[in-house]
Amino acid sequence: MKLLLKSVKILIYSLLLVSTCALTVFAHDPTDHGQYKYHWNYNLPGQQGYSTVRKNVNDLTKAEKTALVKAIKTLKTTIPAGSKISIYDQFVAIHLGATRLIHNHKGHSNGSVQELAHENAAFFPWHREYIRRFEQALQAVDPTVSLPYWDWTDAKALDVIFNDDFLGSNGQGVTIKIPNQGNFTGGPVPGAFSAANGWVMNPALNIDPDTGTSLGTSLVRFLRVPPASDYPLPKKDIQRVLSLNNYSLFRPALEGFISVDEQGKVTPGGFLHNYIHGLVGGVQIDASTTPITFKSLGTMANIPSSPYDPVFWLHHANVDRLWAQWQDNGHQGSNFYPADGGQPYGHNLKDLMWPWDGGMSTPKATALGNLVPLLPKFDSNDLVRPIDVLNHRKLGYTYKTSENQKQKS
């Protein structure tokens, strides 16, 4: 059974993702909601120089951690004029919508649901634009805030992040027994990100993609529950991915659908980005069935609504950092991204990416209702393509390598 669980470990998270599949940062016009003002336009002059520096989470001061949490919770409690939900929940709705997209425009509409944000070439550019807009929404609350990144190879980061003085601990109150492994605890997260303290998730956005049922209103974690219990991730695994020269290998390897060894052998499974989603959220498996059955235990493992766990933003800042590092290491520009025509629409170099596509696409309704009324209103001129986000510095931010990382490199 132990060997079987180990083999399942390399498959489970790719299966999970395949199966699932303002202050307004969303509009061009200045918006004033009380004390908060925000105006951001992708094409505005003056956006080319960078001013935001994203730091390793281990390097944050106590004051910086406090400011980030305060800004996140402000977005969670600020409801824009004309909206039914908070700014934070709107971001969750966008991520959910991107996993169930239908193209409405001529030449690309067949009524089928398409995954835009994952599983194909636009995984990197879509999330780069997405988390940058979230960061700018945070900065509308507090201009000193930036998104830190979680270096998955750093053992210390786990204790820094999942601490009561920052993003909260592991969940509590639920014990699960895993054969030949032992008992493991998780459940609703206590503290600042508990439902009792205002971190209430919208049940219509926190849904099981397989059953269409709601997963409730509480943030749930099952941290380091087998089969996703190994941490930190080996540095050699990261370096091997960064050494790949072909985007068509680099993207699925960093996203975590494959591993590529020193001889170039490709092994399917659940690695790196995908694995970390499971490390935080947890997945329960039943190896006695054929095929093996599984379900996500916590919020981060339920991919469509995973941004409801604030660690999502640190996790994806690291994904973006590694893509930026790969680009800086001789893979800059459009020559290192798939050209037009070879990918599903929305993933090619010059395709428009929803929701920044001028209304060309619409998310499919869920079993719990239509997503469209929950989404922010996007300006018809708010248009973003993968080619527009290949240079992160032109988007206004850079990454700072910590002294600890420099010493280890």
Side-chain angles (χ1 to χ4, degrees):
M1 176 64 73
K2 186 174 182 179
L3 181 61
L4 178 59
L5 286 173
K6 185 176 181 180
S7 66
V8 167
K9 185 175 183 177
I10 69 169
L11 293 172
I12 195 71
Y13 297 108
S14 64
L15 290 173
L16 175 63
L17 286 183
V18 168
S19 72
T20 65
C21 52
L23 269 73
T24 155
V25 68
F26 309 111
H28 287 284
D29 298 327
T31 303
D32 185 345
H33 298 296
Q35 69 191 92
Y36 307 118
K37 295 181 179 179
Y38 188 79
H39 185 196
W40 187 87
N41 182 320
Y42 183 82
N43 296 309
L44 274 180
Q47 292 287 333
Q48 303 305 309
Y50 59 81
S51 58
T52 296
V53 178
R54 295 178 180 174
K55 299 168 60 175
N56 187 313
V57 68
N58 290 353
D59 295 333
L60 295 182
T61 65
K62 181 178 179 180
E64 287 172 329
K65 288 188 283 189
T66 299
L68 177 60
V69 170
K70 182 178 179 180
I72 289 173
K73 297 198 77 173
T74 297
L75 296 186
K76 187 69 177 72
T77 56
T78 301
I79 300 177
S83 177
K84 299 178 181 179
I85 59 177
S86 71
I87 297 166
Y88 194 101
D89 285 14
Q90 287 180 331
F91 273 98
V92 177
I94 290 170
H95 195 264
L96 175 58
T99 68
R100 48 192 308 110
L101 200 63
I102 295 178
H103 297 306
N104 309 325
H105 44 294
K106 184 178 180 180
H108 300 287
S109 178
N110 60 10
S112 61
V113 174
Q114 177 184 319
E115 166 67 74
L116 174 63
H118 310 90
E119 304 176 30
N120 218 307
F123 170 72
F124 293 136
W126 191 91
H127 281 89
R128 174 169 283 179
E129 180 71 12
Y130 178 63
I131 69 169
R132 178 53 175 155
R133 296 212 182 194
F134 181 76
E135 182 174 56
Q136 289 173 321
L138 294 173
Q139 290 170 341
V141 178
D142 184 343
T144 69
V145 168
S146 61
L147 282 179
Y149 63 88
W150 172 8
D151 179 358
W152 311 320
T153 68
D154 194 315
K156 180 184 175 183
L158 213 62
D159 291 331
V160 171
I161 296 168
F162 299 102
N163 192 294
D164 290 337
D165 73 348
F166 194 32
L167 300 187
S169 65
N170 187 29
Q172 298 180 4
V174 180
T175 300
I176 60 173
K177 183 176 182 179
I178 300 178
N180 301 318
Q181 298 286 321
N183 294 329
F184 298 86
T185 300
V189 172
F193 289 94
S194 67
N197 279 322
W199 198 257
V200 179
M201 291 148 58
N202 188 314
L205 296 175
N206 185 30
I207 61 173
D208 185 318
D210 295 322
T211 65
T213 58
S214 176
L215 296 173
T217 59
S218 294
L219 171 59
V220 174
R221 291 177 183 148
F222 282 83
L223 192 62
R224 300 190 71 172
V225 171
S229 55
D230 293 338
Y231 186 85
L233 302 190
K235 288 181 172 59
K236 65 178 182 178
D237 291 355
I238 303 295
Q239 292 304 318
R240 194 157 57 240
V241 169
L242 290 173
S243 70
L244 298 171
N245 288 315
N246 191 327
Y247 187 91
S248 65
L249 283 177
F250 171 73
R251 192 276 309 167
L254 182 51
E255 187 174 358
F257 288 109
I258 63 171
S259 175
V260 184
D261 68 14
E262 292 85 349
Q263 289 72 44
K265 180 182 177 182
V266 174
T267 302
F271 310 96
L272 302 185
H273 157 266
N274 290 355
Y275 182 83
I276 293 295
H277 273 279
L279 180 90
V280 178
V283 172
Q284 190 171 36
I285 66 172
D286 184 352
S288 67
T289 64
T290 305
I292 293 172
T293 57
F294 62 94
K295 67 175 181 178
S296 58
L297 293 171
T299 305
M300 267 286 278
N302 186 52
I303 301 304
S305 54
S306 57
Y308 260 135
D309 191 327
V311 76
F312 171 94
W313 309 103
L314 283 64
H315 176 42
H316 273 275
N318 195 54
V319 172
D320 185 73
R321 177 183 72 95
L322 293 173
W323 182 31
Q325 184 176 337
W326 184 79
Q327 291 176 307
D328 286 345
N329 189 28
H331 306 102
Q332 292 180 342
S334 59
N335 288 338
F336 294 93
Y337 189 87
D340 287 351
Q343 308 293 313
Y345 187 81
H347 292 272
N348 297 286
L349 182 66
K350 296 182 180 179
D351 291 348
L352 291 169
M353 299 187 295
W354 181 90
W356 315 287
D357 67 354
M360 293 169 64
S361 306
T362 305
K364 182 182 178 182
T366 72
L368 298 179
N370 191 355
L371 278 175
V372 174
L374 302 180
L375 293 166
K377 304 298 182 185
F378 291 92
D379 192 288
S380 60
N381 294 318
D382 192 356
L383 306 175
V384 184
R385 307 163 298 171
I387 195 173
D388 299 322
V389 299
L390 295 183
N391 189 330
H392 69 285
R393 292 177 179 86
K394 289 186 177 181
L395 298 180
Y397 66 93
T398 57
Y399 288 96
K400 181 179 180 181
T401 301
S402 69
E403 292 302 317
N404 190 42
Q405 286 172 295
K406 291 177 182 177
Q407 293 170 4
K408 292 180 179 180
S409 62

